[in-house]
Amino acid sequence: MTQEQGAAAKPPRPDLQAVLDARAATLDAARPEAVAKRRKTDRSTARENIAALLDTGSFLEYGQLARPARRDMTGAADGFVMGTGLVDGHRSAIAAYDYTVYAGTQSYINHAKTDRLLKIVRDLRLPFVLWAEGGGWRPHENNIALRDCEETFGLMAQLSGLVPTVGIVSGRCFAGNANMAGLCDTVIATRQAAMGVAGPALVEAGLGIKLTPEELGPPEVHERSGAIDVLVEDDREAVAMARRYLSYFRGPGAAGETPDVLALRDVIPENQRRAYDVRKVIDGIADVGSVLELRKGFAKAVVTALIKVGGRPVGVIGNQPMIRAGAMDTPACDKLSRFAQLCDAHDIPLLFLCDTPGLMVGPEAEETAMVRHSSRILTVLANATVPFMTVVLRKAYGLGYYMMGSLAMNPTLIVGWPTAEFGTMGTQGAVKLMRPAELDAAETDADRQAIEKRLSDEIRHRNSALEVAARFEWDDIIDPADTRSVVSRFLASLPPVAPRPGRKRVIDNW
Amino acid sequence: MARIPIKSEVTGKVWKIEAAVGSTLAADDTIMLIESMKMEIPVPAPANCRLVEILFQEDEPVKEGDVLAIVER
């Protein structure tokens, strides 16, 4: 249409004008009180969040004109804004409960909207980002339908492993809304989040205690418990984090800046008893700025992070010697297992950084069903098909090592650092069990200690890096400064991911 | 000037205090070492700061979450 034609355009006909008005009425510009409410607590609106994530002009909205089922209720898009669009040029689906419409509650019509979008997500294989804030089912709509038939939660659960799903919890998110978040691969929460399976009313009814939503389920509780994966400050950071997270699920991308790789030679102290932060190892491998740690505040004995190496996404699992010397307790086993499932489902190669004295021992550990939780790692890894490689940084003892990508787990590549030390158990214990006769023959305590030391040293030497490599139990012992380069070459050896008609596997919610 | 509490990430025993109250620390400098599960766990300064208070003595047991020291920046 030329400018002259545009200038002379007739005003829309009444039927079109009615539609334009109806559409405009759902936008923030027509809802100043709703926007003002959000501003009072420094929040973005649902539409602002979506606009911030999606490429400009790419949003294809479904159900903008939907209304609440009850004739006496009004609410833009029935409190659920959804559709498809592009995130950094990549096809995606997004949806946001609108807290300014009946507290973001779930309703007859917006359940129908959700169900429709979830089927499109399933059929088009779209990564899905959901702002889950809201109060659960809208009580006003009890008994409104002849029968209760929303498939929403089942459909959401069926997306597991099929497409990457991200839940953003940036306000009060309870009941059904919370479960929608709980069904996502990864949950990003903000400092203003409050989340729980039931809100204050039901808690009071069930337990007789009165708590605000923020007392019931503040973000710090969920960070510690492992219920959420990433904690950020506010709506803006949540959008940035979601955008960043999705970039790890698209295969190879532009290479990032090389980190200081020489620094890796100094990360492991020469003093074997001195702990170090395994994050420093990860920093010396990953493209600068590409480390996205998940569940940082939970199960700290293991670090799980998405990184990029030369632009290629990798899932890192590293023992954290700073915590319990890197011994693997139940939460660490669960965190590791779930992260391995996430990467296996989405074809992100894994990188194990092993420095563990083994599984956590003792009666308190047994109270947590260690036998089952530790076995979970084996079940996940032995049955996973995503390629992985292992770097033995220091201690590689017992079943803990076995589970941290040992040769028996079939890594594509397993190498050690010069500080790598294999062991079936601690040398002191090993000596006592293996050579009791020789020890008992000692006449004095000093003699006994000298024999213990000699035997320990023999075991330690036999299990040292170069000896283990000589037995070809590991593929190589490398200069720590070469680690990033070795990872790159490992990645370069992998075949492309074949397209598949369905999911590879389900990802456990926990 | 903000006072930042340095919390222990581990349960164990204070083994060695490495920095003096009043000293200036660079990010990552070791404030003290905690012994836990036969390992020496360094407690690093979170940023360039001044060490203003140490709340534990050598050989004292510590629990995860205990405030070990206060720094100022």
Side-chain angles (χ1 to χ4, degrees):
Chain A
M1 185 163 78
T2 66
Q3 205 155 358
E4 291 84 53
Q5 284 176 317
K10 296 182 323 201
R13 281 169 18 191
D15 54 359
L16 173 57
Q17 191 60 51
V19 170
L20 296 175
D21 290 346
R23 292 167 71 96
T26 68
L27 302 180
D28 289 349
R31 308 174 62 225
E33 314 87 34
V35 175
K37 265 205 199 138
R38 297 294 268 181
R39 294 293 181 260
K40 262 206 280 203
T41 46
D42 194 31
R43 300 294 316 281
S44 304
T45 64
R47 291 187 180 277
E48 283 169 338
N49 279 326
I50 290 171
L53 182 62
L54 294 182
D55 298 348
T56 309
S58 73
F59 185 29
L60 174 61
E61 184 172 358
Y62 288 62
Q64 182 180 8
L65 300 174
R67 282 202 300 254
R70 277 176 56 162
R71 291 180 184 285
D72 59 344
M73 292 176 84
T74 58
D78 198 15
F80 191 71
V81 184
M82 70 180 208
T84 61
L86 300 176
V87 177
D88 294 331
H90 295 265
R91 337 173 284 127
S92 311
I94 45 79
Y97 284 95
D98 186 343
Y99 200 78
T100 65
V101 177
Y102 302 111
T105 45
Q106 296 171 315
S107 68
Y108 181 73
I109 290 291
N110 75 31
H111 264 306
K113 284 177 67 169
T114 316
D115 295 357
R116 176 141 173 76
L117 184 71
L118 291 175
K119 289 176 188 170
I120 287 165
V121 166
R122 176 195 65 196
D123 295 341
L124 267 48
R125 303 279 286 272
L126 298 170
F128 178 41
V129 178
L130 170 70
W131 281 264
E133 179 184 5
W137 172 251
R138 190 183 297 166
H140 316 65
E141 296 201 8
N142 285 346
N143 309 317
I144 196 174
L146 190 56
R147 46 192 284 278
D148 184 358
C149 59
E150 80 280 352
E151 305 170 84
T152 314
F153 300 102
L155 286 171
M156 186 70 193
Q158 286 178 330
L159 294 181
S160 175
L162 184 66
V163 294
T165 52
V166 181
I168 298 179
V169 178
S170 49
R172 293 175 169 179
C173 181
F174 285 84
N177 292 64
N179 274 112
M180 290 299 283
L183 286 166
C184 293
D185 290 351
T186 292
V187 178
I188 300 167
T190 70
R191 293 269 173 213
Q192 284 168 309
M195 185 171 72
V197 295
L202 280 179
V203 168
E204 192 178 349
L207 301 176
I209 51 176
K210 262 184 145 91
L211 293 168
T212 65
E214 288 67 34
E215 286 166 337
L216 253 181
E220 295 72 34
V221 161
H222 298 304
E223 192 190 21
R224 254 194 333 264
S225 72
I228 63 170
D229 300 276
V230 188
L231 182 58
V232 298
E233 286 308 305
D234 56 23
D235 281 319
R236 280 165 293 280
E237 282 195 8
V239 169
M241 182 57 68
R243 176 195 304 286
R244 215 184 138 205
Y245 175 87
L246 288 175
S247 75
Y248 293 81
F249 294 83
R250 300 180 186 136
E257 193 188 321
T258 306
D260 177 6
V261 299
L262 267 178
L264 287 183
R265 285 182 177 171
D266 298 317
V267 172
I268 309 244
E270 283 182 272
N271 172 1
Q272 286 182 332
R273 289 163 46 98
R274 187 64 61 99
Y276 60 93
D277 187 343
V278 73
R279 292 189 183 90
K280 294 194 174 134
V281 177
I282 301 174
D283 286 344
I285 296 171
D287 292 353
V288 173
S290 76
V291 180
L292 201 170
E293 191 174 345
L294 298 179
R295 285 172 127 186
K296 179 174 179 164
F298 165 71
K300 295 178 184 179
V302 84
V303 172
T304 52
L306 295 169
I307 70 170
K308 291 178 189 169
V309 180
R312 297 186 66 155
V314 172
V316 180
I317 296 175
N319 299 117
Q320 176 60 288
M322 298 283 268
I323 305 293
R324 280 182 275 290
M328 293 159 67
D329 57 3
T330 282
C333 293
D334 285 338
K335 178 169 156 181
L336 189 166
S337 298
R338 183 165 194 270
F339 183 75
Q341 290 185 14
L342 177 77
C343 294
D344 185 33
H346 296 301
D347 301 301
I348 297 174
L350 286 165
L351 169 63
F352 285 87
L353 301 176
C354 177
D355 181 0
T356 182
L359 302 176
M360 195 65 189
V361 301
E364 277 173 29
E366 301 307 336
E367 295 257 348
T368 65
M370 264 301 287
V371 169
R372 284 297 203 181
H373 290 277
S374 58
S375 302
R376 189 178 174 211
I377 303 175
L378 291 166
T379 300
V380 170
L381 286 188
N383 293 293
T385 59
V386 72
F388 67 94
M389 72 166 274
T390 303
V391 181
V392 181
L393 303 176
R394 195 164 57 176
K395 289 192 296 296
Y397 288 2
L399 275 167
Y401 158 60
Y402 193 102
M403 296 170 190
M404 281 295 292
S406 69
L407 191 61
M409 291 280 90
N410 251 320
T412 301
L413 177 71
I414 175 166
V415 301
W417 278 12
T419 38
E421 186 194 335
F422 172 75
T424 50
M425 56 194 302
T427 49
Q428 248 190 338
V431 162
K432 288 201 170 85
L433 284 176
M434 281 158 54
R435 307 282 195 93
E438 205 170 328
L439 286 173
D440 287 342
E443 287 182 354
T444 66
D445 266 352
D447 279 352
R448 193 188 168 88
Q449 275 178 31
I451 295 172
E452 256 188 52
K453 183 170 185 331
R454 175 171 54 77
L455 294 174
S456 279
D457 286 349
E458 274 172 25
I459 294 175
R460 190 161 273 128
H461 172 72
R462 189 186 137 75
N463 290 336
S464 61
L466 288 173
E467 292 299 303
V468 174
R471 296 196 293 274
F472 195 43
E473 280 181 37
W474 294 334
D475 296 312
D476 202 1
I477 306 298
I478 64 170
D479 177 351
D482 282 343
T483 309
R484 174 180 161 89
S485 165
V486 168
V487 174
S488 282
R489 281 175 272 156
F490 150 72
L491 293 169
S493 72
L494 302 180
V497 178
R500 63 176 72 92
R503 71 160 74 90
K504 185 200 286 191
R505 62 164 314 138
V506 158
I507 301 167
D508 281 330
N509 304 78
W510 175 249
Chain B
M1 279 290 220
R3 284 169 67 88
I4 305 172
I6 308 297
K7 290 194 188 165
S8 180
E9 299 260 2
V10 296
T11 295
K13 208 173 61 158
V14 175
W15 181 50
K16 255 201 219 158
I17 300 198
E18 299 264 286
V21 174
S23 58
T24 308
L25 302 172
D28 248 18
D29 282 350
T30 301
I31 298 173
M32 65 175 75
L33 293 161
I34 298 192
E35 188 272 307
S36 165
M37 297 209 25
K38 301 210 178 132
M39 295 281 290
E40 303 160 12
I41 318 285
V43 178
N48 295 348
C49 58
R50 204 169 69 88
L51 180 59
V52 295
E53 217 182 319
I54 295 184
L55 285 89
F56 278 78
Q57 289 174 350
E58 289 185 2
D59 275 343
E60 255 195 277
V62 295
K63 276 186 344 287
E64 182 183 343
D66 282 347
V67 177
L68 300 167
I70 311 275
V71 299
E72 222 173 47
R73 67 183 301 252

